[in-house]
Amino acid sequence: QPRPQQQQQQQQQKRKKKNKKRGGRGRGGGGGGGAAGRTGADGGGRTMEKMKDQAVDEKRRAECEEEMKEALHYCDIIRAYGHYATHCFQIFNRLERDFNSIPALQRALIPSLDKKMKTMRACVGANQRFIRKILDHTGVFMNSEYINYDWILRKNRPISMANMDKVKSTLKQSMRDWSLEGKEERGLCYGPIMREIKRLFPKPSFETRVLVPGCGMSRLVWEIANAGYHAQGNEFSYFMLLASYLILNCTPKENAYRIFPFVTQTNNQYSPKGQFRPVVFPDVNPSVVAPRALSMVAGDFQEVYEKQEEEWDCIAGCFFLDTANNVIEYVRLISKLLRIGGYWIHFGPLLYHYSGMRDEISIELSWDEIKACLSHYGLKLVRE
């Protein structure tokens, strides 16, 4: 970000003073300047120091570039959330234009369309109000002291359709993880994991540490903590992290939010009522869990946990294993993280998220091939 003019002038004056000082020392005598001063051990030492300084500068420059990429990505997600209503209204405007392009006789057969479109816009408005609550807490993940996030947000970067789809998907995932409507699906996915944890660790204790990588909207993490264990969730997606932060940390009661997650879903609708079905959530009070029982860590699973070793009694993954570029690396790291006698619980398919993507490694193994790797990393399949 450009500096203010006054600050630029101050920087220029400082540089002039430094240049004057260098010029004063550069000639003759005890200053050590000139070609003669660059010979011998002293000159070699300064050369090494200069090389070290350059290496440090290059390392810091690379770190700054990574921080900037991360900040740009994060701000793109914030802007996508903020653009939700506008994006939906643009879609609705196109639907209305298409409808108005057909013959008047055919338009007369659907007299309720205007009312339907008004209701759709009202539902989108309700969704955007929930999203504003999410955006009230974006500062939680603005972790770099070197990045001006406000400046990045003011840049007119394009908002991708993929990011808009993820905003809509997050609304549906909020319903699945935190509403009564999602209870049956949660029972099918989280139920077997919870039953296995309780079977393996029949005496709940905060001393029993359970890691949930790829935890999404964090309901499974909450359920494990609520059952009396220490649970830590790990998630890479800022879409999920922002929404789950609101629910876990800023929601003191049940049914605090009301959204319409299907309002933009026009395909395979039996009736308009399906689009306008409201969902209230959460169906539990998230704040009842003891703070020391639940924690969250943002970031890539491998990068965050690579330096840990034998710190977890249990690693419970739901629809997580196939998010790896190299599934064998996940097996290796999970084994490393588990304490001797610990357990890895896995539930989910092998759809391989990076399958078919250009410039992405995707090691796509069958379940039998993955099982063949377990013993090499000190794991034994005890229940299937």
Side-chain angles (χ1 to χ4, degrees):
Q1 182 180 9
R3 295 187 179 92
Q5 185 175 2
Q6 184 178 1
Q7 193 172 354
Q8 286 181 342
Q9 291 172 353
Q10 291 173 353
Q11 293 291 334
Q12 290 171 358
Q13 290 173 0
K14 288 180 181 179
R15 283 195 290 270
K16 286 178 182 178
K17 288 180 181 178
K18 289 181 180 178
N19 290 336
K20 286 179 181 178
K21 288 180 181 178
R22 292 193 188 104
R25 292 166 50 193
R27 296 188 183 273
R38 298 179 185 274
T39 61
D42 183 60
R46 279 183 295 203
T47 301
M48 289 299 295
E49 289 177 5
K50 185 176 180 181
M51 291 173 65
K52 288 179 181 178
D53 290 342
Q54 287 176 343
V56 171
D57 289 344
E58 288 175 2
K59 181 180 178 181
R60 182 60 198 143
R61 189 181 301 112
E63 290 173 353
C64 288
E65 288 176 357
E66 284 300 313
E67 287 182 12
M68 178 55 77
K69 288 180 183 177
E70 186 74 8
L72 289 170
H73 172 65
Y74 182 55
C75 290
D76 284 347
I77 290 169
I78 293 173
R79 293 186 69 243
Y81 265 125
H83 187 66
Y84 168 79
T86 301
H87 167 75
C88 293
F89 293 161
Q90 289 170 347
I91 293 174
F92 297 165
N93 291 342
R94 179 183 58 78
L95 291 175
E96 286 181 318
R97 284 196 306 270
D98 290 348
F99 183 76
N100 289 329
S101 69
I102 66 177
L105 178 62
Q106 294 177 356
R107 294 199 303 271
L109 297 175
I110 315 294
S112 61
L113 189 82
D114 285 344
K115 182 180 179 181
K116 175 183 174 180
M117 298 307 297
K118 288 179 181 178
T119 305
M120 289 170 70
R121 288 185 171 89
C123 293
V124 165
N127 290 347
Q128 189 69 61
R129 286 191 289 275
F130 169 67
I131 287 172
R132 287 197 198 105
K133 296 181 188 299
I134 294 175
L135 295 178
D136 286 341
H137 306 284
T138 54
V140 172
F141 300 104
M142 293 180 178
N143 298 320
S144 175
E145 58 182 306
Y146 303 102
I147 302 295
N148 187 329
Y149 290 91
D150 289 335
W151 177 70
I152 296 175
L153 287 168
R154 288 195 298 270
K155 290 174 67 69
N156 191 26
R157 286 170 58 85
I159 300 172
S160 70
M161 287 299 297
N163 278 350
M164 295 313 308
D165 288 341
K166 288 176 182 177
V167 172
K168 290 181 276 190
S169 175
T170 302
L171 294 174
K172 292 178 181 177
Q173 301 239 16
S174 298
M175 177 207 70
R176 185 195 68 184
D177 257 28
W178 290 101
S179 74
L180 283 175
E181 283 81 354
K183 184 176 181 179
E184 182 177 355
E185 186 174 348
R186 290 196 303 273
L188 295 173
C189 299
Y190 302 159
I193 294 174
M194 290 302 302
R195 288 192 293 271
E196 198 66 17
I197 290 174
K198 292 176 181 179
R199 186 184 71 83
L200 295 170
F201 306 97
K203 295 181 179 180
S205 168
F206 291 148
E207 300 301 317
T208 302
R209 290 165 51 82
V210 183
L211 174 63
V212 185
C215 64
M217 289 295 295
S218 305
R219 180 61 181 262
L220 178 58
V221 188
W222 185 90
E223 292 287 353
I224 294 170
N226 192 51
Y229 306 94
H230 173 82
Q232 183 172 102
N234 165 240
E235 178 55 47
F236 180 75
S237 168
Y238 280 125
F239 289 99
M240 302 290 183
L241 286 165
L242 282 166
S244 63
Y245 180 88
L246 171 69
I247 295 169
L248 289 174
N249 296 283
C250 310
T251 309
K253 62 179 183 178
E254 300 176 20
N255 299 327
Y257 311 114
R258 185 171 182 259
I259 61 172
F260 298 84
F262 306 107
V263 64
T264 57
Q265 188 172 320
T266 56
N267 296 334
N268 293 322
Q269 291 289 353
Y270 185 80
S271 163
K273 293 180 180 179
Q275 284 179 265
F276 307 145
R277 179 160 58 95
V279 172
V280 294
F281 66 97
D283 62 330
V284 293
N285 182 352
S287 64
V288 299
V289 168
R292 71 188 184 97
L294 190 154
S295 60
M296 290 287 296
V297 178
D300 177 79
F301 171 61
Q302 291 174 271
E303 291 180 7
V304 170
Y305 293 97
E306 183 59 52
K307 294 182 180 179
Q308 294 187 14
E309 189 168 352
E310 296 186 11
E311 293 199 16
W312 300 94
D313 298 291
C314 179
I315 296 177
C318 185
F319 284 66
F320 171 70
L321 189 59
D322 58 356
T323 64
N325 291 97
N326 179 359
V327 67
I328 302 175
E329 271 296 292
Y330 270 17
V331 174
R332 178 196 65 81
L333 181 54
I334 288 169
S335 176
K336 178 186 174 187
L337 292 171
L338 285 171
R339 293 171 177 164
I340 301 301
Y343 292 91
W344 170 28
I345 302 170
H346 163 67
F347 182 92
L350 295 173
L351 295 175
Y352 294 111
H353 289 208
Y354 294 101
S355 180
M357 290 190 184
R358 288 184 177 182
D359 304 320
E360 288 285 356
I361 293 173
S362 184
I363 307 302
E364 302 171 20
L365 304 180
S366 69
W367 178 234
D368 282 344
E369 289 169 323
I370 293 172
K371 288 192 291 185
C373 302
L374 299 181
S375 60
H376 177 78
Y377 292 106
L379 295 169
K380 179 183 177 181
L381 185 63
V382 295
R383 190 175 174 90
E384 187 175 9

